[in-house]
Structures are given as structure tokens and as C-alpha cells.
Amino acid sequence: MELEAAKMIGAGLAVIALMGVGVGIGNIFSTLIASIARNPAARGEVFGIGILGFALTEAVALFALLIAFLILFT
């Protein structure tokens, strides 16, 4: 019984990283929109960097979710 509770607490702590990922993705896209609004000619250059930042930030979310599942189901 105590082991199950410890697993739930550990998985909950591992998922806390998802809050930071949500803030990071919002920050990336708000900055992307603001930079394109300031200089529309630089859209091609800035858009690729924004998508790369999104992908790397989303990878952190997937790692946190993977750790949470490993804690719960092993």
C-alpha cells in the first residue's frame, strides 16, 4: 500500500515539469508572433528557429511523461 502511494507521489513530482513546458511553449510562440509582426520579411528565418525551439521544449515534456510512466508501471 505504501509503495503504491510512493509511486503516485513520484509520478506527480515528475509531471511538474509539464507546467514549465507549457509556459515555455507559450513564450516561444508569443515571441515568434511578436517578431514576425515587427519584421514580416524575416518570417522565413524566424519561423524555423521557432519550430526548433518548440520541438526541443516538447521533447522535455515527453521525457517527463516517460519518467512518470516508468515510475507508475515498474
Side-chain angles (χ1 to χ4, degrees):
M1 191 68 169
E2 292 85 18
L3 181 63
E4 193 68 30
K7 283 185 176 184
M8 295 290 182
I9 291 171
L13 290 174
V15 175
I16 288 176
L18 297 178
M19 182 177 61
V21 168
V23 170
I25 290 173
N27 191 11
I28 287 170
F29 282 114
S30 69
T31 305
L32 178 68
I33 290 169
S35 63
I36 291 173
R38 285 177 181 246
N39 187 4
R43 181 186 185 276
E45 183 178 330
V46 174
F47 187 75
I49 295 170
I51 294 299
L52 177 65
F54 166 74
L56 293 175
T57 307
E58 189 67 27
V60 173
L62 292 175
F63 291 143
L65 198 59
L66 174 78
I67 296 299
F69 284 148
L70 283 174
I71 290 172
L72 281 178
F73 298 115
T74 58

